[in-house]
mmCIF file of all heavy atoms in Angstrom:
data_model
loop_
_atom_site.group_PDB
_atom_site.id
_atom_site.type_symbol
_atom_site.label_atom_id
_atom_site.label_comp_id
_atom_site.label_asym_id
_atom_site.label_seq_id
_atom_site.Cartn_x
_atom_site.Cartn_y
_atom_site.Cartn_z
ATOM 1 N N ASP X 5 -1.902 6.406 -0.338
ATOM 2 C CA ASP X 5 -3.161 5.675 -0.231
ATOM 3 C C ASP X 5 -3.432 5.430 1.358
ATOM 4 O O ASP X 5 -4.642 5.441 1.817
ATOM 5 C CB ASP X 5 -3.101 4.362 -0.800
ATOM 6 C CG ASP X 5 -3.117 4.540 -2.411
ATOM 7 O OD1 ASP X 5 -3.437 5.608 -2.813
ATOM 8 O OD2 ASP X 5 -2.779 3.561 -3.001
ATOM 9 N N ILE X 6 -2.474 5.329 2.148
ATOM 10 C CA ILE X 6 -2.617 5.131 3.596
ATOM 11 C C ILE X 6 -3.197 6.385 4.151
ATOM 12 O O ILE X 6 -4.107 6.464 4.895
ATOM 13 C CB ILE X 6 -1.280 4.669 4.314
ATOM 14 C CG1 ILE X 6 -0.857 3.413 3.902
ATOM 15 C CG2 ILE X 6 -1.491 4.897 5.797
ATOM 16 C CD1 ILE X 6 0.448 3.020 4.434
ATOM 17 N N GLU X 7 -2.631 7.613 3.730
ATOM 18 C CA GLU X 7 -3.151 8.895 4.165
ATOM 19 C C GLU X 7 -4.610 9.075 3.800
ATOM 20 O O GLU X 7 -5.382 9.536 4.513
ATOM 21 C CB GLU X 7 -2.239 9.978 3.491
ATOM 22 C CG GLU X 7 -2.642 11.460 3.949
ATOM 23 C CD GLU X 7 -1.703 12.441 3.390
ATOM 24 O OE1 GLU X 7 -1.279 12.309 2.242
ATOM 25 O OE2 GLU X 7 -1.511 13.485 4.072
ATOM 26 N N ILE X 8 -4.937 8.656 2.518
ATOM 27 C CA ILE X 8 -6.340 8.859 2.092
ATOM 28 C C ILE X 8 -7.231 7.889 2.976
ATOM 29 O O ILE X 8 -8.270 8.490 3.339
ATOM 30 C CB ILE X 8 -6.436 8.410 0.640
ATOM 31 C CG1 ILE X 8 -5.803 9.553 -0.286
ATOM 32 C CG2 ILE X 8 -7.903 8.260 0.262
ATOM 33 C CD1 ILE X 8 -5.679 9.146 -1.780
ATOM 34 N N PHE X 9 -6.858 6.723 3.275
ATOM 35 C CA PHE X 9 -7.694 5.924 4.107
ATOM 36 C C PHE X 9 -7.844 6.337 5.487
ATOM 37 O O PHE X 9 -9.050 6.524 5.829
ATOM 38 C CB PHE X 9 -7.080 4.416 4.114
ATOM 39 C CG PHE X 9 -7.704 3.592 5.279
ATOM 40 C CD1 PHE X 9 -8.960 3.023 4.904
ATOM 41 C CD2 PHE X 9 -7.113 3.389 6.384
ATOM 42 C CE1 PHE X 9 -9.538 2.178 5.896
ATOM 43 C CE2 PHE X 9 -7.665 2.606 7.271
ATOM 44 C CZ PHE X 9 -8.942 2.054 7.160
ATOM 45 N N LEU X 10 -6.780 6.817 6.075
ATOM 46 C CA LEU X 10 -7.051 7.277 7.430
ATOM 47 C C LEU X 10 -7.794 8.596 7.542
ATOM 48 O O LEU X 10 -8.465 8.814 8.467
ATOM 49 C CB LEU X 10 -5.491 7.494 8.048
ATOM 50 C CG LEU X 10 -4.810 6.183 8.328
ATOM 51 C CD1 LEU X 10 -3.394 6.497 8.746
ATOM 52 C CD2 LEU X 10 -5.511 5.381 9.418
ATOM 53 N N THR X 11 -7.608 9.446 6.541
ATOM 54 C CA THR X 11 -8.347 10.656 6.570
ATOM 55 C C THR X 11 -9.790 10.442 6.210
ATOM 56 O O THR X 11 -10.697 11.024 7.049
ATOM 57 C CB THR X 11 -7.857 11.681 5.415
ATOM 58 O OG1 THR X 11 -6.519 11.829 5.684
ATOM 59 C CG2 THR X 11 -8.637 12.986 5.471
ATOM 60 N N LEU X 12 -10.152 9.558 5.396
ATOM 61 C CA LEU X 12 -11.587 9.087 5.179
ATOM 62 C C LEU X 12 -12.112 8.444 6.348
ATOM 63 O O LEU X 12 -13.315 8.580 6.727
ATOM 64 C CB LEU X 12 -11.727 8.224 3.900
ATOM 65 C CG LEU X 12 -13.191 7.727 3.545
ATOM 66 C CD1 LEU X 12 -13.993 8.849 3.323
ATOM 67 C CD2 LEU X 12 -13.198 6.834 2.450
ATOM 68 N N ALA X 13 -11.392 7.611 7.110
ATOM 69 C CA ALA X 13 -11.733 6.962 8.349
ATOM 70 C C ALA X 13 -12.042 7.909 9.449
ATOM 71 O O ALA X 13 -12.879 7.741 10.277
ATOM 72 C CB ALA X 13 -10.700 5.938 8.839
ATOM 73 N N GLU X 14 -11.417 9.116 9.349
ATOM 74 C CA GLU X 14 -11.604 10.120 10.430
ATOM 75 C C GLU X 14 -12.795 11.054 9.992
ATOM 76 O O GLU X 14 -13.658 11.280 10.775
ATOM 77 C CB GLU X 14 -10.395 11.105 10.432
ATOM 78 C CG GLU X 14 -10.673 12.237 11.344
ATOM 79 C CD GLU X 14 -9.516 13.306 11.260
ATOM 80 O OE1 GLU X 14 -8.435 13.046 10.556
ATOM 81 O OE2 GLU X 14 -9.660 14.482 11.707
ATOM 82 N N LEU X 15 -12.913 11.439 8.713
ATOM 83 C CA LEU X 15 -14.003 12.386 8.377
ATOM 84 C C LEU X 15 -15.258 11.758 7.921
ATOM 85 O O LEU X 15 -16.381 12.389 7.865
ATOM 86 C CB LEU X 15 -13.442 13.345 7.140
ATOM 87 C CG LEU X 15 -12.176 14.173 7.525
ATOM 88 C CD1 LEU X 15 -11.850 14.896 6.234
ATOM 89 C CD2 LEU X 15 -12.545 15.093 8.671
ATOM 90 N N LEU X 16 -15.165 10.450 7.403
ATOM 91 C CA LEU X 16 -16.274 9.716 6.846
ATOM 92 C C LEU X 16 -17.160 10.509 5.896
ATOM 93 O O LEU X 16 -18.317 10.571 5.879
ATOM 94 C CB LEU X 16 -17.207 9.334 8.096
ATOM 95 C CG LEU X 16 -16.467 8.395 9.102
ATOM 96 C CD1 LEU X 16 -17.540 7.996 10.275
ATOM 97 C CD2 LEU X 16 -16.010 7.074 8.420
ATOM 98 N N HIS X 17 -16.301 11.140 5.027
ATOM 99 C CA HIS X 17 -16.999 11.942 3.979
ATOM 100 C C HIS X 17 -16.010 12.090 2.843
ATOM 101 O O HIS X 17 -14.840 12.657 2.992
ATOM 102 C CB HIS X 17 -17.442 13.313 4.397
ATOM 103 C CG HIS X 17 -18.214 14.189 3.538
ATOM 104 N ND1 HIS X 17 -17.766 14.768 2.429
ATOM 105 C CD2 HIS X 17 -19.585 14.430 3.698
ATOM 106 C CE1 HIS X 17 -18.843 15.337 1.820
ATOM 107 N NE2 HIS X 17 -19.843 15.113 2.630
ATOM 108 N N PHE X 18 -16.331 11.534 1.583
ATOM 109 C CA PHE X 18 -15.449 11.573 0.475
ATOM 110 C C PHE X 18 -15.079 13.008 0.078
ATOM 111 O O PHE X 18 -13.875 13.292 -0.293
ATOM 112 C CB PHE X 18 -16.125 10.759 -0.754
ATOM 113 C CG PHE X 18 -15.923 9.276 -0.595
ATOM 114 C CD1 PHE X 18 -16.728 8.603 0.324
ATOM 115 C CD2 PHE X 18 -14.945 8.589 -1.233
ATOM 116 C CE1 PHE X 18 -16.579 7.165 0.348
ATOM 117 C CE2 PHE X 18 -14.794 7.247 -1.151
ATOM 118 C CZ PHE X 18 -15.619 6.507 -0.261
ATOM 119 N N GLY X 19 -16.052 13.786 0.003
ATOM 120 C CA GLY X 19 -15.819 15.182 -0.486
ATOM 121 C C GLY X 19 -14.826 16.047 0.458
ATOM 122 O O GLY X 19 -13.894 16.660 0.015
ATOM 123 N N ARG X 20 -15.089 15.950 1.832
ATOM 124 C CA ARG X 20 -14.245 16.642 2.694
ATOM 125 C C ARG X 20 -12.765 16.054 2.784
ATOM 126 O O ARG X 20 -11.876 16.746 2.952
ATOM 127 C CB ARG X 20 -14.829 16.694 4.097
ATOM 128 C CG ARG X 20 -16.089 17.589 4.133
ATOM 129 C CD ARG X 20 -16.364 17.967 5.631
ATOM 130 N NE ARG X 20 -17.051 16.826 6.264
ATOM 131 C CZ ARG X 20 -18.384 16.568 6.184
ATOM 132 N NH1 ARG X 20 -19.129 17.440 5.487
ATOM 133 N NH2 ARG X 20 -18.976 15.611 6.840
ATOM 134 N N THR X 21 -12.778 14.712 2.556
ATOM 135 C CA THR X 21 -11.417 14.043 2.534
ATOM 136 C C THR X 21 -10.589 14.573 1.220
ATOM 137 O O THR X 21 -9.471 14.945 1.375
ATOM 138 C CB THR X 21 -11.582 12.522 2.386
ATOM 139 O OG1 THR X 21 -12.239 11.971 3.568
ATOM 140 C CG2 THR X 21 -10.192 11.819 2.207
ATOM 141 N N ALA X 22 -11.234 14.661 0.264
ATOM 142 C CA ALA X 22 -10.665 15.244 -1.016
ATOM 143 C C ALA X 22 -10.266 16.585 -0.722
ATOM 144 O O ALA X 22 -9.102 17.097 -1.143
ATOM 145 C CB ALA X 22 -11.555 15.110 -2.230
ATOM 146 N N GLU X 23 -11.017 17.485 -0.102
ATOM 147 C CA GLU X 23 -10.740 18.810 0.087
ATOM 148 C C GLU X 23 -9.441 18.999 0.938
ATOM 149 O O GLU X 23 -8.665 19.739 0.683
ATOM 150 C CB GLU X 23 -11.960 19.571 0.718
ATOM 151 C CG GLU X 23 -13.012 19.833 -0.247
ATOM 152 C CD GLU X 23 -14.182 20.457 0.461
ATOM 153 O OE1 GLU X 23 -14.135 20.786 1.583
ATOM 154 O OE2 GLU X 23 -15.308 20.614 -0.168
ATOM 155 N N ARG X 24 -9.517 18.210 2.067
ATOM 156 C CA ARG X 24 -8.343 18.309 3.011
ATOM 157 C C ARG X 24 -7.028 17.910 2.247
ATOM 158 O O ARG X 24 -5.979 18.573 2.541
ATOM 159 C CB ARG X 24 -8.540 17.411 4.262
ATOM 160 C CG ARG X 24 -7.474 17.401 5.156
ATOM 161 C CD ARG X 24 -7.636 16.492 6.376
ATOM 162 N NE ARG X 24 -8.657 17.028 7.287
ATOM 163 C CZ ARG X 24 -8.968 16.428 8.562
ATOM 164 N NH1 ARG X 24 -8.173 15.442 8.950
ATOM 165 N NH2 ARG X 24 -9.831 16.977 9.246
ATOM 166 N N LEU X 25 -7.043 16.842 1.468
ATOM 167 C CA LEU X 25 -5.847 16.264 0.829
ATOM 168 C C LEU X 25 -5.510 16.932 -0.444
ATOM 169 O O LEU X 25 -4.577 16.621 -1.092
ATOM 170 C CB LEU X 25 -6.075 14.798 0.789
ATOM 171 C CG LEU X 25 -6.170 14.017 2.074
ATOM 172 C CD1 LEU X 25 -6.289 12.543 1.856
ATOM 173 C CD2 LEU X 25 -4.969 14.268 3.032
ATOM 174 N N LEU X 26 -6.462 17.891 -0.987
ATOM 175 C CA LEU X 26 -6.199 18.495 -2.219
ATOM 176 C C LEU X 26 -6.164 17.508 -3.411
ATOM 177 O O LEU X 26 -5.125 17.642 -4.273
ATOM 178 C CB LEU X 26 -4.865 19.368 -2.076
ATOM 179 C CG LEU X 26 -4.924 20.455 -1.034
ATOM 180 C CD1 LEU X 26 -3.604 21.215 -1.038
ATOM 181 C CD2 LEU X 26 -6.106 21.406 -1.154
ATOM 182 N N VAL X 27 -6.994 16.648 -3.433
ATOM 183 C CA VAL X 27 -7.075 15.697 -4.434
ATOM 184 C C VAL X 27 -8.583 15.640 -4.840
ATOM 185 O O VAL X 27 -9.526 16.281 -4.233
ATOM 186 C CB VAL X 27 -6.691 14.229 -4.033
ATOM 187 C CG1 VAL X 27 -5.226 14.239 -3.536
ATOM 188 C CG2 VAL X 27 -7.482 13.671 -2.934
ATOM 189 N N SER X 28 -8.881 14.955 -5.993
ATOM 190 C CA SER X 28 -10.260 14.782 -6.442
ATOM 191 C C SER X 28 -11.011 13.610 -5.663
ATOM 192 O O SER X 28 -10.306 12.814 -5.107
ATOM 193 C CB SER X 28 -10.286 14.421 -7.933
ATOM 194 O OG SER X 28 -9.846 13.143 -8.139
ATOM 195 N N VAL X 29 -12.356 13.759 -5.697
ATOM 196 C CA VAL X 29 -13.084 12.764 -5.043
ATOM 197 C C VAL X 29 -12.940 11.352 -5.737
ATOM 198 O O VAL X 29 -12.786 10.409 -5.121
ATOM 199 C CB VAL X 29 -14.587 13.047 -5.076
ATOM 200 C CG1 VAL X 29 -15.486 11.952 -4.514
ATOM 201 C CG2 VAL X 29 -14.848 14.385 -4.194
ATOM 202 N N ALA X 30 -12.696 11.407 -7.011
ATOM 203 C CA ALA X 30 -12.405 10.208 -7.821
ATOM 204 C C ALA X 30 -11.042 9.521 -7.267
ATOM 205 O O ALA X 30 -10.942 8.400 -7.190
ATOM 206 C CB ALA X 30 -12.334 10.509 -9.261
#
Side-chain angles (χ1 to χ4, degrees):
D5 289 346
I6 293 174
E7 183 180 32
I8 288 173
F9 167 76
L10 290 174
T11 304
L12 182 58
E14 175 193 349
L15 300 179
L16 298 177
H17 192 286
F18 279 78
R20 286 196 288 275
T21 297
E23 289 175 7
R24 176 182 291 187
L25 299 180
L26 302 178
V27 299
S28 67
V29 174

